[in-house]
Amino acid sequence: MHRFYLSSVPPGAEELPLSPEDARKICRVLKLAPGDEIILWNESGIEYRALITKVTGQFVYVRVLEELENTAESPLFLNLVQGIPKGDKLELIIQKATELGVRRIYPIVTERTVVRIPEERRASRLQRWQSIAREAARQCGRVRIPEIAEINTLDGIWGILEAGAIKLICWERETAGLKAYLRKVGRPPRVPVYLFVGPEGGFSPQEIAACIARGGITVSLGPRILRTETAGLIGLSLVLYEWGDLGGL
Ligand code: SAH
């Protein structure tokens, strides 16, 4: 069933108007009509089954029928700390990481980050990234839109992460495998998990040393050097496979 985002659903709503963009999509693209059902969702974690009751000009009205339980959220609080890559690769990473079930994405500037996003462009870039996450969440049936944090530095990020969280640093020169670590811990932890991935040039030795000094655990994703966008998505997949709901519960 088609899903539409609505920031709040008033209880018992009888004639709820949808946004003009959604109304346009319903009429022109999906060609839905009164009597058809859709799903309304927002970050509350609850979805609603709703009936299209009226279509007038550019307005679409719905009646909320019932609450639905959503099971598309992973029980694991997994976050990606991603060195900003070149071009628009981060957009792909955000889209795919959202599908995989990540909760939050932190774009970071590291020593070897090539792209410099000027201060005045950061707000619009963030908005674009956030809208990509929202669209991906809608498409894959999630109720929680992953939050894209403001651009930070690798150094700055340590100041905002919870002390008790697990911080896994993907490092191509590490020999200890991620798989072994995940299996050693065994049961999924109840604390948030952060997966760090460097930009194209990787993390510098000093950065790796600083991460280790602050409690980061360096892990290998295998013997081949992966591109930054592959590393993030594979790393997230492996963690969600072992500790989350990827591959089924
Ligand atoms: N330029 C570096 C590779 C960087 S790859 C070199 O040629 O040595 C970009 C990022 O992907 C790295 O910072 C790391 O976080 C991750 N990565 C790639 N392959 C990896 C592997 N085999 N194990 C762990 N992390 C890896």
Side-chain angles (χ1 to χ4, degrees), residues 112 169-174 196-203 219-229 231-232:
R112 297 182 181 163
I169 321 294
C170 295
W171 187 33
E172 60 285 358
R173 286 161 68 183
E174 178 55 80
F196 286 57
V197 176
E200 286 86 352
F203 292 119
V219 289
S220 162
L221 296 172
R224 289 169 292 283
I225 293 180
L226 307 170
R227 289 191 181 223
T228 179
E229 66 273 29

Side-chain angles (χ1 to χ4, degrees), residues 77-208:
F77 200 109
L78 179 61
N79 310 277
L80 177 65
V81 180
Q82 171 72 52
I84 300 175
K86 291 192 221 161
D88 50 14
K89 273 187 206 163
L90 190 61
E91 300 190 358
L92 173 98
I93 296 171
I94 290 171
Q95 186 192 59
K96 300 302 170 207
T98 301
E99 287 171 38
L100 292 172
V102 80
R103 290 286 179 93
R104 218 175 270 154
I105 298 172
Y106 297 81
I108 53 162
V109 174
T110 70
E111 257 177 53
R112 297 182 181 163
T113 304
V114 183
V115 218
R116 298 274 166 230
I117 302 172
E119 206 59 56
E120 66 275 13
R121 295 235 195 99
R122 291 191 174 190
S124 66
R125 198 58 71 88
L126 190 62
Q127 254 180 10
R128 172 156 178 77
W129 290 336
Q130 194 63 70
S131 74
I132 289 170
R134 171 176 298 184
E135 177 51 26
R138 186 197 63 72
Q139 180 274 329
C140 73
R142 289 187 60 175
V143 285
R144 274 212 193 93
I145 303 169
E147 186 192 331
I148 317 297
E150 285 190 15
I151 297 176
N152 208 326
T153 57
L154 177 59
D155 209 39
I157 209 83
W158 286 97
I160 57 175
L161 304 188
E162 304 90 331
I166 295 176
K167 292 111 180 176
L168 300 169
I169 321 294
C170 295
W171 187 33
E172 60 285 358
R173 286 161 68 183
E174 178 55 80
T175 49
L178 174 63
K179 181 154 70 177
Y181 174 79
L182 296 172
R183 295 199 172 162
K184 187 180 75 193
V185 174
R187 285 206 298 156
R190 285 167 185 250
V191 295
V193 179
Y194 293 85
L195 189 83
F196 286 57
V197 176
E200 286 86 352
F203 292 119
S204 73
Q206 293 84 336
E207 285 176 328
I208 291 290

Side-chain angles (χ1 to χ4, degrees), residues 6 27 29 39 52 60 63 72 75 80 82 97 121 227 231 235 247:
L6 212 67
C27 300
V29 184
I39 291 188
I52 298 178
V60 169
R63 181 162 73 234
L80 177 65
Q82 171 72 52
R121 295 235 195 99
R227 289 191 181 223

